[in-house]
Structures are given as C-alpha cells and as structure tokens.
Amino acid sequence: MTEILFYHMQRQPLESVLPSLLEKSLERQWRVTVQATSEERLQALDDHLWTFSDESFLPHGTDRDPDAGTQPVVLTLRDANPNAATIRFLVDGAPLPEDAGSYARICVLFDGSDQDALLFAREQWRAAKEAGHSVAYWQQDESGRWQKKA
C-alpha cells in the first residue's frame, strides 16, 4: 500500500516547500521523481533547484537527459518513473500515476489559495482512499511548520 501525503501550502510557495522536502527525501537515500504539468514549470523548477540556496543545490536532471536513470531526482511531465524512484512528488495538479502502488510514497503539493487546486486535491484524496492507499493531510502552521491534520 502506498502512503499518499497531501501538503496544503498556505504560508509558503512551492519554490520554498519543494526543496526542503526533496532534501529530506535524499537524506533518507530515496530516489525521487517530481511531476509537473507544464514545460514552463518544469524549466522553472530545474533552474530553481540549482540556485535555491547559497550553501547547496539539489542534484537532479530532467527525464530528457541521457543519464536520467542515474539521477537522484528527476523532473518530468510524464507518468513514467525514469530513475526507479520510490517517492513521487506531484505539483500543479499533476494526476496520481497509474502505477501509484509501485511507490512507497507519493506527495501531492497544492496551493491552498487556489480554489481549483483545492478542489482537485480533494478529488485526488477521494480517489486515493478508494484505491486503498494510506492517505494523510499536512497543513502549515503559523510558523510554516508542517502539522498532520488527518
């Protein structure tokens, strides 16, 4: 059974939230795939992950890179799992993958100020529960820390 975590972003944008979650995943030695829904977002994330911090960067590539299978983090627009990731991040309304059961964890990150994103995340929650996955809902508190709400 796959654990599907829903992250309701209210206090910080994706550009602040995603790098810290990716760092935690890499600390656990998990391979990661991040799925976006537009070429513009994919390129922005690709650029951002190299420069988000003055002290570090996140090693990554896109699924178009010839060595994508060797990358610890791969950015994609497709449903594929090019680097045999155990965790998948879905951003900007990327759908739950057909092979959701092949991941240990899927993280759905959605903008709490976007009504369409909120409604789509609720649909994904229902679909994940109906498919028998373990689901959890995380929300940021006033200091920006994640708290499990459901």
Side-chain angles (χ1 to χ4, degrees):
M1 175 181 353
T2 299
E3 181 179 33
I4 302 180
L5 308 178
F6 289 80
Y7 287 91
H8 188 163
M9 297 179 296
Q10 293 178 288
R11 307 233 181 268
Q12 297 173 311
L14 179 67
E15 293 78 13
S16 296
V17 171
L18 184 62
S20 65
L21 293 173
L22 292 176
E23 285 178 327
K24 289 180 191 306
S25 297
L26 293 178
E27 286 170 9
R28 294 177 175 153
Q29 298 184 358
W30 291 344
R31 295 175 77 70
V32 180
T33 297
V34 178
Q35 184 178 354
T37 58
S38 72
E39 188 62 46
E40 295 78 20
R41 173 61 95 177
L42 187 81
Q43 186 60 55
L45 288 174
D46 188 19
D47 294 342
H48 182 65
L49 293 179
W50 291 117
T51 62
F52 77 95
S53 169
D54 290 339
E55 292 83 41
S56 67
F57 67 94
L58 281 162
H60 69 282
T62 71
D63 61 353
R64 293 181 297 257
D65 297 335
D67 65 344
T70 66
Q71 294 293 332
V73 176
V74 173
L75 308 177
T76 186
L77 296 175
R78 296 190 280 277
D79 207 9
N81 187 357
N83 64 339
T86 55
I87 183 169
R88 186 175 195 95
F89 287 84
L90 305 175
V91 301
D92 293 342
L96 291 172
E98 294 280 330
D99 64 345
S102 69
Y103 294 90
R105 181 177 288 175
I106 294 175
C107 299
V108 178
L109 283 66
F110 63 97
D111 181 351
S113 63
D114 180 334
Q115 191 63 28
D116 290 336
L118 192 59
L119 292 172
F120 188 65
R122 287 180 182 152
E123 289 174 24
Q124 287 180 305
W125 173 279
R126 280 191 289 279
K129 282 191 71 101
E130 288 172 7
H133 299 293
S134 169
V135 296
Y137 171 74
W138 293 81
Q139 190 175 37
Q140 288 178 304
D141 65 15
E142 300 200 0
S143 66
R145 293 188 136 145
W146 293 104
Q147 293 190 340
K148 188 174 181 181
K149 297 290 187 171

